[in-house]
Amino acid sequence: MVVFDPKDKLARWFHPAEEDLKEGADYTLLDQHGDMSRICWGQVLEMRPHDSLVYTFTVKPLNGAMTTVRWTLEDAAGGTRLTLAHEGIEQAAGEAAFMMLSALDAGWDQHFGRLRQEAKALVEA
């Protein structure tokens, strides 16, 4: 079973997790800027270290409807290409899909900004 310890890495740029992420297991991520309440949750579908992470994802406004998030890492000239695909939002959000897409896009942009800062700090260390 693949396990990822988010306590010292994931929480720096994304959200703290209640427990280590495990393939095939449910997960809960917490709101680190508020009261540490549940912010998003789902199930880890696939974990391939250095290659990909796939999980179902929902938030309160989706009322339990699940979407799928896929992170893929690939070798690229001078480094690594990270691709994020967040699928199923249209089906999950219905008429509110545009508003949900806008909110999630803004959130992903913030997370990528923090991830870039973390990566830069590692390179400079």
Side-chain angles (χ1 to χ4, degrees):
M1 175 184 294
V2 178
V3 177
F4 175 72
D5 179 6
K7 291 176 182 61
D8 67 340
K9 295 179 181 83
L10 189 63
R12 291 182 195 168
W13 64 272
F14 195 40
H15 294 288
E18 279 188 337
E19 297 179 11
D20 293 346
L21 301 182
K22 298 176 184 167
E23 188 172 68
D26 292 342
Y27 73 89
T28 299
L29 300 182
L30 307 170
D31 180 4
Q32 61 193 6
H33 303 294
D35 58 3
M36 296 298 282
S37 62
R38 180 172 79 162
I39 194 162
C40 57
W41 59 95
Q43 183 180 57
V44 178
L45 302 175
E46 176 185 302
M47 292 180 80
R48 292 189 350 227
H50 312 290
D51 290 321
S52 65
L53 172 65
V54 181
Y55 53 92
T56 60
F57 173 97
T58 194
V59 291
K60 288 180 186 176
L62 290 176
N63 297 317
M66 289 291 171
T67 61
T68 302
V69 177
R70 179 181 311 272
W71 299 82
T72 306
L73 299 172
E74 302 170 278
D75 289 333
T80 303
R81 176 181 300 114
L82 169 62
T83 303
L84 169 72
H86 192 161
E87 303 164 346
I89 298 166
E90 312 83 30
Q91 293 83 5
E95 292 181 18
F98 181 76
M99 291 176 53
M100 182 58 64
L101 281 166
S102 295
L104 290 169
D105 182 58
W108 288 124
D109 191 47
Q110 290 175 357
H111 297 308
F112 272 109
R114 289 197 297 269
L115 179 59
R116 281 190 292 274
Q117 291 173 344
E118 287 295 319
K120 183 178 177 184
L122 286 173
V123 170
E124 294 174 350

